[in-house]
Protein backbone atom coordinates (compact mmCIF):
# COMPACT_ATOMS: atom_id res chain seq x y z
CA UNK A 1 0.00 0.00 0.00
CA UNK A 2 2.77 2.43 0.95
CA UNK A 3 4.73 1.50 -2.18
CA UNK A 4 1.66 2.10 -4.34
CA UNK A 5 1.00 5.44 -2.64
CA UNK A 6 4.60 6.49 -3.22
CA UNK A 7 4.36 5.55 -6.89
CA UNK A 8 1.10 7.48 -7.24
CA UNK A 9 2.64 10.53 -5.54
CA UNK A 10 5.66 10.48 -7.87
CA UNK A 11 3.37 10.32 -10.89
CA UNK A 12 1.28 13.20 -9.56
CA UNK A 13 4.35 15.39 -8.97
CA UNK A 14 5.73 14.43 -12.38
CA UNK A 15 2.51 15.55 -14.03
CA UNK A 16 2.53 18.81 -12.08
CA UNK A 17 6.15 19.48 -13.06
CA UNK A 18 5.47 18.78 -16.76
CA UNK A 19 2.45 21.10 -16.62
CA UNK A 20 4.58 23.81 -14.98
CA UNK A 21 7.21 23.49 -17.72
CA UNK A 22 4.58 23.79 -20.43
CA UNK A 23 3.02 26.86 -18.82
CA UNK A 24 6.48 28.36 -18.27
CA UNK A 25 7.24 27.99 -21.98
CA UNK A 26 3.91 29.51 -23.00
CA UNK A 27 4.35 32.44 -20.63
CA UNK A 28 8.00 32.89 -21.61
CA UNK A 29 7.05 33.38 -25.23
CA UNK A 30 3.88 35.37 -24.53
CA UNK A 31 5.68 38.54 -25.62
CA UNK A 32 4.60 37.59 -29.17
CA UNK A 33 0.95 38.13 -28.25
CA UNK A 34 -0.42 41.43 -29.54
CA UNK A 35 -2.15 43.26 -26.67
CA UNK A 36 -4.73 44.77 -28.99
CA UNK A 37 -5.88 41.28 -30.00
CA UNK A 38 -5.58 39.56 -26.62
CA UNK A 39 -5.28 42.19 -23.88
CA UNK A 40 -5.53 39.84 -20.90
CA UNK A 41 -3.18 37.21 -22.29
CA UNK A 42 -0.59 39.89 -23.02
CA UNK A 43 -0.18 40.52 -19.28
CA UNK A 44 0.89 37.00 -18.30
CA UNK A 45 4.60 37.71 -18.86
CA UNK A 46 4.58 39.16 -15.34
CA UNK A 47 4.15 35.61 -14.04
CA UNK A 48 7.35 34.30 -15.65
CA UNK A 49 9.61 34.76 -12.58
CA UNK A 50 7.05 32.97 -10.40
CA UNK A 51 7.14 29.97 -12.74
CA UNK A 52 10.95 29.98 -12.69
CA UNK A 53 10.84 29.70 -8.90
CA UNK A 54 8.20 26.95 -8.95
CA UNK A 55 10.26 24.96 -11.43
CA UNK A 56 13.31 25.38 -9.19
CA UNK A 57 11.27 23.96 -6.30
CA UNK A 58 10.50 20.90 -8.44
CA UNK A 59 14.21 20.54 -9.25
CA UNK A 60 15.09 20.53 -5.55
CA UNK A 61 12.32 18.03 -4.86
CA UNK A 62 13.63 15.62 -7.50
CA UNK A 63 17.23 15.94 -6.35
CA UNK A 64 16.16 14.99 -2.83
CA UNK A 65 13.58 12.29 -3.52
CA UNK A 66 14.12 10.92 -7.05
CA UNK A 67 17.07 12.39 -8.91
CA UNK A 68 16.29 10.53 -12.13
CA UNK A 69 13.31 12.86 -12.68
CA UNK A 70 15.45 16.02 -12.34
CA UNK A 71 15.72 16.12 -16.12
CA UNK A 72 12.16 17.50 -16.29
CA UNK A 73 12.81 20.91 -14.67
CA UNK A 74 16.29 21.04 -16.26
CA UNK A 75 14.71 20.51 -19.70
CA UNK A 76 12.24 23.27 -18.85
CA UNK A 77 15.07 25.70 -18.22
CA UNK A 78 16.86 24.65 -21.40
CA UNK A 79 13.76 25.07 -23.56
CA UNK A 80 13.10 28.43 -21.88
CA UNK A 81 16.63 29.69 -22.55
CA UNK A 82 15.48 32.59 -24.74
CA UNK A 83 13.01 34.19 -22.27
CA UNK A 84 15.35 33.42 -19.35
CA UNK A 85 18.22 35.18 -21.11
CA UNK A 86 15.93 38.18 -21.63
CA UNK A 87 14.60 38.23 -18.10
CA UNK A 88 17.92 37.64 -16.32
CA UNK A 89 20.92 37.64 -18.70
CA UNK A 90 24.33 36.48 -17.58
CA UNK A 91 27.11 38.15 -19.55
CA UNK A 92 30.85 38.32 -19.10
CA UNK A 93 32.15 41.61 -17.74
CA UNK A 94 33.71 43.34 -20.76
CA UNK A 95 35.07 46.80 -19.95
CA UNK A 96 34.03 49.65 -22.19
CA UNK A 97 36.65 51.34 -24.40
CA UNK A 98 37.70 54.92 -23.70
CA UNK A 99 35.89 56.23 -26.77
CA UNK A 100 32.52 54.84 -25.65
CA UNK A 101 29.97 57.44 -24.58
CA UNK A 102 28.03 57.06 -21.35
CA UNK A 103 24.23 57.20 -21.31
CA UNK A 104 21.91 57.41 -18.32
CA UNK A 105 18.14 57.02 -18.61
CA UNK A 106 16.14 57.81 -15.50
CA UNK A 107 12.52 58.42 -14.56
CA UNK A 108 13.13 61.07 -11.87
CA UNK A 109 9.53 61.12 -10.57
CA UNK A 110 9.33 64.92 -10.97
CA UNK A 111 12.44 65.29 -8.80
CA UNK A 112 10.26 64.53 -5.80
CA UNK A 113 12.89 62.57 -3.90
CA UNK A 114 10.69 59.45 -3.63
CA UNK A 115 9.44 60.75 -0.25
CA UNK A 116 12.92 60.04 1.15
CA UNK A 117 14.78 63.25 0.37
CA UNK A 118 13.60 66.76 1.13
CA UNK A 119 15.88 68.16 -1.57
CA UNK A 120 14.86 65.83 -4.38
CA UNK A 121 16.11 67.97 -7.23
CA UNK A 122 19.51 68.50 -5.67
CA UNK A 123 19.86 64.77 -4.94
CA UNK A 124 19.14 63.80 -8.54
CA UNK A 125 21.17 66.68 -10.00
CA UNK A 126 24.26 65.81 -7.97
CA UNK A 127 23.96 62.14 -8.92
CA UNK A 128 23.75 62.91 -12.63
CA UNK A 129 26.66 65.33 -12.47
CA UNK A 130 28.78 62.86 -10.52
CA UNK A 131 28.07 60.18 -13.12
CA UNK A 132 29.76 62.35 -15.79
CA UNK A 133 27.41 61.01 -18.44
CA UNK A 134 27.59 62.17 -22.04
CA UNK A 135 23.83 61.80 -22.61
CA UNK A 136 21.15 61.92 -19.92
CA UNK A 137 17.57 61.05 -20.88
CA UNK A 138 14.99 61.85 -18.22
CA UNK A 139 11.32 61.00 -17.89
CA UNK A 140 9.04 63.10 -15.66
CA UNK A 141 11.69 65.80 -16.11
CA UNK A 142 9.22 68.34 -14.79
CA UNK A 143 11.68 70.96 -13.57
CA UNK A 144 13.47 71.44 -16.88
CA UNK A 145 10.57 73.21 -18.57
CA UNK A 146 11.13 76.16 -16.22
CA UNK A 147 14.81 76.22 -17.21
CA UNK A 148 15.68 76.03 -13.53
CA UNK A 149 17.89 72.99 -13.85
CA UNK A 150 19.38 73.90 -17.23
CA UNK A 151 21.91 76.26 -15.70
CA UNK A 152 23.04 73.61 -13.22
CA UNK A 153 23.78 71.13 -16.00
CA UNK A 154 25.32 73.76 -18.30
CA UNK A 155 27.78 74.75 -15.59
CA UNK A 156 28.87 71.15 -15.13
CA UNK A 157 29.58 69.95 -18.64
CA UNK A 158 26.12 69.13 -20.03
CA UNK A 159 25.99 72.18 -22.24
CA UNK A 160 22.97 71.23 -24.35
CA UNK A 161 19.59 70.84 -22.66
CA UNK A 162 16.07 70.50 -23.94
CA UNK A 163 12.63 69.47 -22.69
CA UNK A 164 9.42 68.38 -24.37
CA UNK A 165 6.21 69.03 -22.44
CA UNK A 166 3.99 66.01 -23.00
CA UNK A 167 0.92 67.31 -21.20
CA UNK A 168 0.03 70.34 -19.14
CA UNK A 169 -3.46 70.78 -17.78
CA UNK A 170 -5.22 71.13 -14.45
CA UNK A 171 -4.78 67.45 -13.59
CA UNK A 172 -1.60 66.35 -15.36
CA UNK A 173 1.88 67.57 -16.12
CA UNK A 174 4.69 65.51 -17.62
CA UNK A 175 7.89 66.19 -19.55
CA UNK A 176 10.70 64.40 -21.32
CA UNK A 177 14.18 65.87 -21.13
CA UNK A 178 17.65 65.43 -22.55
CA UNK A 179 20.87 66.83 -21.09
CA UNK A 180 24.03 66.21 -23.08
CA UNK A 181 27.47 67.47 -23.98
CA UNK A 182 26.71 66.98 -27.68
CA UNK A 183 25.05 69.69 -29.80
CA UNK A 184 21.35 69.15 -30.49
CA UNK A 185 20.68 69.40 -34.23
CA UNK A 186 16.92 69.01 -34.10
CA UNK A 187 14.06 67.63 -32.06
CA UNK A 188 10.89 65.81 -33.09
CA UNK A 189 7.86 64.89 -31.03
CA UNK A 190 6.63 61.40 -31.96
CA UNK A 191 2.87 61.61 -31.86
CA UNK A 192 0.63 58.66 -31.22
CA UNK A 193 -3.16 58.80 -30.78
CA UNK A 194 -3.48 56.80 -27.56
CA UNK A 195 -1.30 59.04 -25.38
CA UNK A 196 -2.80 60.54 -22.26
CA UNK A 197 0.03 62.03 -20.25
CA UNK A 198 2.83 60.01 -21.82
CA UNK A 199 4.82 60.38 -25.00
CA UNK A 200 8.04 60.05 -27.00
CA UNK A 201 10.51 62.44 -28.57
CA UNK A 202 13.60 62.13 -30.74
CA UNK A 203 16.68 64.28 -30.51
CA UNK A 204 19.29 64.37 -33.26
CA UNK A 205 22.74 64.87 -31.77
CA UNK A 206 26.04 65.75 -33.39
CA UNK A 207 28.37 63.18 -31.82
CA UNK A 208 31.78 64.00 -33.21
CA UNK A 209 31.49 63.16 -36.92
CA UNK A 210 28.26 61.19 -36.53
CA UNK A 211 24.63 62.19 -36.33
CA UNK A 212 23.01 60.03 -33.66
CA UNK A 213 19.25 59.81 -33.10
CA UNK A 214 18.22 59.43 -29.45
CA UNK A 215 14.58 58.51 -28.84
CA UNK A 216 13.42 59.10 -25.26
CA UNK A 217 10.14 57.45 -24.22
CA UNK A 218 7.63 57.43 -21.42
CA UNK A 219 5.07 54.88 -22.53
CA UNK A 220 1.59 54.34 -21.10
CA UNK A 221 1.60 53.54 -17.42
CA UNK A 222 -0.71 51.00 -15.81
CA UNK A 223 -2.56 53.72 -13.84
CA UNK A 224 -2.63 51.70 -10.65
CA UNK A 225 -3.59 53.79 -7.66
CA UNK A 226 -1.94 53.39 -4.27
CA UNK A 227 -5.02 51.44 -3.22
CA UNK A 228 -4.61 49.10 -6.22
CA UNK A 229 -0.97 48.50 -5.34
CA UNK A 230 -1.80 47.82 -1.71
CA UNK A 231 -4.52 45.36 -2.67
CA UNK A 232 -2.10 43.61 -5.03
CA UNK A 233 0.42 43.20 -2.21
CA UNK A 234 -2.34 41.81 0.01
CA UNK A 235 -3.31 39.38 -2.75
CA UNK A 236 0.25 38.05 -2.91
CA UNK A 237 0.34 37.67 0.87
CA UNK A 238 -3.10 36.04 1.03
CA UNK A 239 -4.45 38.80 3.25
CA UNK A 240 -7.64 39.42 1.27
CA UNK A 241 -10.81 37.49 2.02
CA UNK A 242 -11.37 34.60 -0.37
CA UNK A 243 -14.64 35.95 -1.73
CA UNK A 244 -12.89 39.22 -2.67
CA UNK A 245 -9.80 37.68 -4.32
CA UNK A 246 -11.43 37.00 -7.67
CA UNK A 247 -13.00 40.45 -7.96
CA UNK A 248 -9.77 42.24 -7.01
CA UNK A 249 -7.71 40.07 -9.36
CA UNK A 250 -10.04 40.72 -12.26
CA UNK A 251 -10.00 44.48 -11.66
CA UNK A 252 -6.21 44.52 -11.57
CA UNK A 253 -5.91 42.42 -14.73
CA UNK A 254 -8.36 44.65 -16.59
CA UNK A 255 -6.31 47.75 -15.76
CA UNK A 256 -3.09 46.06 -16.84
CA UNK A 257 -4.72 44.79 -20.05
CA UNK A 258 -6.11 48.20 -20.99
CA UNK A 259 -2.69 49.79 -20.47
CA UNK A 260 -1.03 47.07 -22.57
CA UNK A 261 -3.45 47.65 -25.43
CA UNK A 262 -2.73 51.39 -25.46
CA UNK A 263 1.00 50.84 -25.07
CA UNK A 264 1.10 48.48 -28.06
CA UNK A 265 -0.01 51.30 -30.39
CA UNK A 266 2.60 53.60 -28.91
CA UNK A 267 5.46 51.13 -29.30
CA UNK A 268 4.43 50.41 -32.88
CA UNK A 269 4.50 54.11 -33.69
CA UNK A 270 8.00 54.49 -32.28
CA UNK A 271 9.11 51.34 -34.12
CA UNK A 272 7.82 52.85 -37.37
CA UNK A 273 9.81 56.01 -36.62
CA UNK A 274 12.97 54.00 -35.94
CA UNK A 275 12.51 51.95 -39.13
CA UNK A 276 12.82 55.13 -41.21
CA UNK A 277 16.40 55.73 -40.08
CA UNK A 278 17.89 52.31 -39.40
CA UNK A 279 20.97 51.82 -41.54
CA UNK A 280 21.23 55.56 -42.18
CA UNK A 281 21.99 56.82 -38.67
CA UNK A 282 23.03 55.25 -35.37
CA UNK A 283 19.88 55.03 -33.23
CA UNK A 284 19.45 54.85 -29.46
CA UNK A 285 16.04 54.18 -27.90
CA UNK A 286 15.61 54.39 -24.15
CA UNK A 287 13.27 55.35 -21.35
CA UNK A 288 10.44 54.18 -19.14
CA UNK A 289 8.59 51.49 -21.10
CA UNK A 290 6.28 50.72 -18.16
CA UNK A 291 6.53 47.09 -19.21
CA UNK A 292 8.44 44.06 -17.98
CA UNK A 293 11.10 42.16 -19.99
CA UNK A 294 8.65 39.46 -21.12
CA UNK A 295 6.34 41.87 -22.92
CA UNK A 296 5.18 42.83 -26.38
CA UNK A 297 6.76 46.28 -26.00
CA UNK A 298 10.25 44.99 -25.30
CA UNK A 299 9.91 42.25 -27.90
CA UNK A 300 8.91 44.66 -30.68
CA UNK A 301 11.82 46.99 -30.02
CA UNK A 302 14.18 44.04 -29.54
CA UNK A 303 13.33 42.78 -33.05
CA UNK A 304 14.85 45.95 -34.49
CA UNK A 305 17.51 46.99 -32.02
CA UNK A 306 19.89 45.43 -29.54
CA UNK A 307 18.62 45.32 -25.98
CA UNK A 308 21.68 46.68 -24.21
CA UNK A 309 20.88 45.04 -20.87
CA UNK A 310 20.21 41.67 -22.46
CA UNK A 311 23.43 41.93 -24.49
CA UNK A 312 25.75 43.19 -21.74
CA UNK A 313 23.93 43.19 -18.38
CA UNK A 314 23.78 40.63 -15.61
CA UNK A 315 20.95 39.45 -13.38
CA UNK A 316 17.36 40.60 -13.14
CA UNK A 317 18.09 44.34 -13.08
CA UNK A 318 14.99 45.57 -11.27
CA UNK A 319 14.50 49.20 -12.28
CA UNK A 320 11.09 49.82 -10.70
CA UNK A 321 11.56 49.69 -6.96
CA UNK A 322 8.05 49.57 -5.56
CA UNK A 323 7.33 46.47 -3.49
CA UNK A 324 5.51 43.62 -5.24
CA UNK A 325 5.95 45.42 -8.57
CA UNK A 326 9.69 44.88 -8.93
CA UNK A 327 10.45 44.58 -12.64
CA UNK A 328 12.91 45.94 -15.17
CA UNK A 329 10.63 48.39 -16.96
CA UNK A 330 13.30 50.89 -18.02
CA UNK A 331 15.25 49.88 -21.10
CA UNK A 332 18.07 50.93 -23.43
CA UNK A 333 18.27 49.78 -27.05
CA UNK A 334 20.73 50.62 -29.79
CA UNK A 335 21.10 49.91 -33.51
CA UNK A 336 23.58 47.36 -34.85
CA UNK A 337 26.11 50.09 -35.76
CA UNK A 338 26.55 50.81 -32.03
CA UNK A 339 28.32 48.46 -29.61
CA UNK A 340 26.89 48.43 -26.04
CA UNK A 341 28.95 47.79 -22.90
CA UNK A 342 28.28 47.28 -19.19
CA UNK A 343 24.60 48.13 -19.04
CA UNK A 344 23.33 48.00 -15.47
CA UNK A 345 20.60 49.27 -13.14
CA UNK A 346 22.03 51.55 -10.46
CA UNK A 347 20.05 50.49 -7.40
CA UNK A 348 22.09 52.75 -5.12
CA UNK A 349 20.25 55.81 -6.41
CA UNK A 350 16.84 55.71 -4.72
CA UNK A 351 15.54 59.26 -5.13
CA UNK A 352 12.69 58.08 -7.38
CA UNK A 353 10.33 55.13 -7.71
CA UNK A 354 12.66 54.06 -10.53
CA UNK A 355 16.37 53.30 -10.53
CA UNK A 356 18.57 54.78 -13.27
CA UNK A 357 19.83 52.57 -16.08
CA UNK A 358 23.44 53.24 -17.10
CA UNK A 359 25.11 52.04 -20.29
CA UNK A 360 28.23 52.72 -22.35
CA UNK A 361 27.84 52.89 -26.13
CA UNK A 362 30.55 52.92 -28.77
CA UNK A 363 29.53 54.28 -32.15
CA UNK A 364 30.60 51.59 -34.57
CA UNK A 365 30.78 47.81 -34.29
CA UNK A 366 33.62 45.92 -32.62
Amino acid sequence: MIKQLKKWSIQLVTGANVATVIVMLLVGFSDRIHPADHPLLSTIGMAFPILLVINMAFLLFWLIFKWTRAWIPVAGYIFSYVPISIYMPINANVSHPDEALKLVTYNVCSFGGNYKYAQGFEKVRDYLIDEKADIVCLQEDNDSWRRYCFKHFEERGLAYNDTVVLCNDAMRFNCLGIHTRFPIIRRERIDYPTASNNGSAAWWLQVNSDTVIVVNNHFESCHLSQEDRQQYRQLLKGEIARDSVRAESQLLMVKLAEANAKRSKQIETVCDYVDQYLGRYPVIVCGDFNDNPISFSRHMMGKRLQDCFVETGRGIGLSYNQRAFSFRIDHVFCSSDITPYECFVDSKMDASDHYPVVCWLKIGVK
Side-chain angles (χ1 to χ4, degrees), residues 229-245:
R229 298 173 193 274
Q230 181 61 29
Q231 288 174 339
Y232 178 65
R233 296 186 190 106
Q234 291 174 340
L235 276 172
L236 295 180
K237 295 178 181 178
E239 296 176 354
I240 291 182
R242 184 171 298 179
D243 57 350
S244 301
V245 167

Side-chain angles (χ1 to χ4, degrees), residues 7 98 126 141 148 152 178 181 188 214 263 272 287 322-323 331 358 361:
K7 181 180 179 181
D98 293 339
D126 292 345
D141 189 10
Y148 169 65
H152 293 272
I178 191 168
R181 68 179 183 86
E188 292 182 340
V214 179
R263 198 181 301 116
D272 290 343
Q322 300 300 288
R323 291 180 179 177
H331 304 280
V358 182
L361 303 164

Side-chain angles (χ1 to χ4, degrees), residues 90-204:
I90 302 296
N91 294 290
N93 187 17
V94 179
S95 299
H96 63 276
D98 293 339
E99 63 270 26
L101 60 90
K102 186 177 185 180
L103 178 139
V104 175
T105 179
Y106 190 16
N107 183 323
V108 296
C109 197
S110 303
F111 297 98
N114 201 19
Y115 308 105
K116 295 181 178 180
Y117 302 98
Q119 302 297 321
F121 172 77
E122 287 75 12
K123 180 72 175 178
V124 173
R125 176 203 62 191
D126 292 345
Y127 166 80
L128 295 173
I129 291 170
D130 291 343
E131 283 296 297
K132 296 181 172 58
D134 300 293
I135 301 172
V136 175
C137 291
L138 301 184
Q139 302 84 47
E140 299 189 31
D141 189 10
N142 296 354
D143 256 350
S144 292
W145 73 282
R146 292 183 291 143
R147 309 297 166 126
Y148 169 65
C149 75
F150 281 14
K151 64 182 180 68
H152 293 272
F153 292 123
E154 289 169 358
E155 292 169 357
R156 294 165 175 84
L158 297 172
Y160 303 96
N161 301 273
D162 191 33
T163 301
V164 171
V165 177
L166 300 176
C167 65
N168 184 9
D169 57 37
M171 298 296 294
R172 304 168 302 170
F173 183 62
N174 193 17
C175 301
L176 289 173
I178 191 168
H179 310 282
T180 175
R181 68 179 183 86
F182 300 116
I184 298 172
I185 300 172
R186 78 189 218 208
R187 176 190 76 190
E188 292 182 340
R189 171 78 182 270
I190 303 175
D191 292 317
Y192 30 72
T194 59
S196 52
N197 63 328
N198 302 92
S200 301
W203 282 271
W204 298 53

